[in-house]
Amino acid sequence: MARTPFKVEVLTPEGEVFNDEVEMVSTRTSVGSIGILANHQPLLAMLNPTELRLYKSESEVVRYAQGEGFLQMTGDRALVLVDEVFSVDKLDAADLRDRLKRAEDELASAEEDSEERRQAERDKRRLEAFLKLTESA
């Protein structure tokens, strides 16, 4: 069954990654998974690292690995602002494992309650989410 399309923009600090109409957005917020359809109530949500799925139709899904960020839904438009986003097809599992090991080492050596520790925790959480996507692809 076709759904009503709506405009979605995905932006990173480097610029626009996606700008097109979709039937549904699926992602994970700080309180759980969410699916957004056209005419959704206004929403502002914090996003956790996960897979961002943009359903252009039931059979055409654009998949990204998204970092932390925000989702804003207003009227007939969704805006996804994330610190980084990668096509799931372009993720390199070996590189992600190496980066995850470095993040774990940084976390182990960081002082308690330091900014370095918080950054290492965020990096570890993001890299674990991205690595999980390579294993399910």
Side-chain angles (χ1 to χ4, degrees):
M1 179 175 129
R3 295 186 174 113
T4 304
F6 62 101
K7 188 77 156 182
V8 175
E9 274 186 278
V10 178
L11 302 173
T12 69
E14 286 77 38
E16 186 177 85
V17 176
F18 182 90
N19 187 348
D20 203 354
E21 287 192 339
V22 303
E23 293 182 355
M24 185 170 89
V25 174
S26 175
T27 188
R28 181 176 307 275
T29 71
S30 58
V31 294
S33 296
I34 189 168
I36 304 284
L37 299 173
N39 304 311
H40 193 283
Q41 288 294 311
L43 170 76
L44 181 61
M46 290 178 58
L47 298 176
N48 286 344
T50 192
E51 180 177 15
L52 171 64
R53 292 185 193 145
L54 305 171
Y55 292 83
K56 295 181 93 170
S57 69
E58 285 187 32
S59 60
E60 185 182 359
V61 181
V62 180
R63 299 173 62 218
Y64 291 106
Q66 81 178 27
E68 293 176 333
F70 297 92
L71 166 66
Q72 178 184 26
M73 182 69 186
T74 55
D76 61 349
R77 182 173 175 261
L79 178 61
V80 179
L81 302 169
V82 287
D83 57 3
E84 62 183 349
V85 67
F86 303 99
S87 173
V88 170
D89 301 343
K90 295 201 172 24
L91 294 176
D92 179 345
D95 178 57
L96 289 170
R97 279 191 280 277
D98 290 344
R99 291 172 55 196
L100 178 58
K101 174 72 172 107
R102 284 194 302 272
E104 290 169 339
D105 292 345
E106 290 171 12
L107 183 58
S109 65
E111 291 184 29
E112 198 69 34
D113 202 34
S114 67
E115 182 56 34
E116 290 79 18
R117 182 173 193 82
R118 286 187 285 278
Q119 182 62 48
E121 288 169 344
R122 285 192 303 270
D123 289 346
K124 181 177 184 281
R125 189 171 48 246
R126 183 182 74 253
L127 293 166
E128 286 172 340
F130 288 4
L131 191 56
K132 187 175 178 183
L133 293 176
T134 66
E135 295 163 354
S136 67

